[in-house]
């Protein structure tokens, strides 16, 4: 019973190609997850999904490609790869795009609009693959193909979801994916008073937590209410919730590889100071994990 994870896009907000981002990667969010039986789950559809699409076509040998795509929200960096995801142009391929039930209409519409003739040469209606849109209720587990998923409303402008995945049967470890989330309280969110406790419960005991670590504590002071967290806050959440491995994610666009090495080392020092057994790694394109 295992979930296999591979990172195709790790960067927040905007793609950042160039010599300073070669190791951790410059593509916007996209993570591939495979269940024990090989079923395909894709988390977010940033520019990383383009290379994943090429890889899927190569591996498929012409067989139909099917899978579920979970969008945390419809901000640009999480959907901009869809028009360049080659399998959506293939007849016989089938994708279900999942998102927040309360935002269902809007994420369906946003995906169509980003392929309107004003901004893109091919319309959504011309795609040959079958694409369904499904809303996901918050809090209640939903059964997928060989996995179970629960969504949780996180703090982000316009709303966003975090997802918790477990293999059906629940024997393996859980994977929690929270790409964009502001852990600190802010008046712009109308979260319940005990939201932080609920967040800890949602994450508790997971084998792997992939979490937004956009800012340093100093940077965050200038970006309160922008919807993102600091390294220290994510590490604290992971320790409070007794997570096994925290993956630093949604890297700030200006962050160089060397700076990321530095912040990773600071996170590990913080864990050591607290005497915690938490492992901390930083998401990098091509990184694979097995739960
Ligand atoms: Zn984002
Ligand atoms: Zn966002």
């Amino acid at each position: 019973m295992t979930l296999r994870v591979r990172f195709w896009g790790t960067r927040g907000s905007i793609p950042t190609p160039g010599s300073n981002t070669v190791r951790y990667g410059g593509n916007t969010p996209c993570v591939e997850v495979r269940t024990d039986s090989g079923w395909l789950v894709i988390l977010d559809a940033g520019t990383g999904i383009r290379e994943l699409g090429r890889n899927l076509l190569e591996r498929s040998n012409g067989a139909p490609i099917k899978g579920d795509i979970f969008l945390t929200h419809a901000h640009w960096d999480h959907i901009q790869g869809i028009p360049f995801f080659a399998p959506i142009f293939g007849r016989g391929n089938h994708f279900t795009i999942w998102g927040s039930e309360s935002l269902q209409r809007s994420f369906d519409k946003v995906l169509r609009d980003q392929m309107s003739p004003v901004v893109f040469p091919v319309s959504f209606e011309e795609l040959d693959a079958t694409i369904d849109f499904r809303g996901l209720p918050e809090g209640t587990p939903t059964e997928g193909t060989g996995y179970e998923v629960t969504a949780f409303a996180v703090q982000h402008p316009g709303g966003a979801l975090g997802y918790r995945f477990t293999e059906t049967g629940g024997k393996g470890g859980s994977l929690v994916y929270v790409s964009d989330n502001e852990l600190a309280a802010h008046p712009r969110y109308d979260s319940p008073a005990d939201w932080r406790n609920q967040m800890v419960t949602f994450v508790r005991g997971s084998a792997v937590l992939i979490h937004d670590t956009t800012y340093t504590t100093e940077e965050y002071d200038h970006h309160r209410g922008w919807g993102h967290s600091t390294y220290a806050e994510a590490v604290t959440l992971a320790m409070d919730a007794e997570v096994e491995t925290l993956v630093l994610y949604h890297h700030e666009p200006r962050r160089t590889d060397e700076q990321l090495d530095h912040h990773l080392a600071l996170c590990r020092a913080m864990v050591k100071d607290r005497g915690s057994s938490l492992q901390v790694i930083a998401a990098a394109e091509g990184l694979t994990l097995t739960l």
Side-chain angles (χ1 to χ4, degrees), residues 40 42 45 49-50 52-54 56-57 64-67 69 79-97 111-112 114-115 120 122-133:
L40 170 67
I42 300 171
I49 203 173
R50 186 183 68 85
L52 168 59
R54 280 161 43 98
L56 290 172
L57 287 176
I65 300 169
K66 297 179 180 173
I69 301 174
I79 64 166
Q80 68 196 143
I82 290 263
F84 301 93
F85 180 51
I88 60 171
F89 294 93
R91 197 170 297 282
N93 297 339
H94 188 163
F95 298 97
T96 302
I97 302 182
L111 289 190
R112 290 172 195 279
Q114 81 163 342
M115 297 180 76
F120 200 74
V122 183
S123 78
F124 194 87
E125 283 64 38
E126 289 173 77
L127 300 177
D128 285 325
T130 305
I131 299 172
D132 308 319
F133 290 93

Side-chain angles (χ1 to χ4, degrees), residues 13 72-78 156-157 159-160 179-181 212 226-228 250:
S13 309
T72 52
H73 62 313
H75 280 169
W76 221 357
D77 50 326
H78 299 259
H156 197 63
S179 71
D180 294 38
N181 181 32
D212 180 341
W226 285 39
H228 300 289
H250 202 272

Side-chain angles (χ1 to χ4, degrees), residues 55-183:
N55 182 275
L56 290 172
L57 287 176
E58 264 172 40
R59 280 187 275 170
S60 72
N61 274 323
I65 300 169
K66 297 179 180 173
D68 293 317
I69 301 174
F70 285 84
L71 301 178
T72 52
H73 62 313
H75 280 169
W76 221 357
D77 50 326
H78 299 259
I79 64 166
Q80 68 196 143
I82 290 263
F84 301 93
F85 180 51
I88 60 171
F89 294 93
R91 197 170 297 282
N93 297 339
H94 188 163
F95 298 97
T96 302
I97 302 182
W98 298 80
S100 168
E101 202 160 54
S102 47
L103 300 172
Q104 186 186 359
R105 256 230 186 93
S106 93
F107 80 75
D108 176 344
K109 188 170 181 316
V110 175
L111 289 190
R112 290 172 195 279
D113 286 353
Q114 81 163 342
M115 297 180 76
S116 88
V118 184
V119 291
F120 200 74
V122 183
S123 78
F124 194 87
E125 283 64 38
E126 289 173 77
L127 300 177
D128 285 325
T130 305
I131 299 172
D132 308 319
F133 290 93
R134 296 276 297 274
L136 197 71
E138 287 153 28
T140 329
T142 300
E143 203 58 48
T145 309
Y147 67 89
E148 193 181 89
V149 57
T150 307
F152 179 74
V154 296
Q155 298 194 137
H156 197 63
L161 293 179
Y163 293 111
R164 181 174 182 129
F165 293 88
T166 310
E167 284 271 357
T168 303
K171 290 201 187 90
S174 296
L175 167 71
V176 179
Y177 178 76
V178 183
S179 71
D180 294 38
N181 181 32
E182 184 159 3
L183 283 165

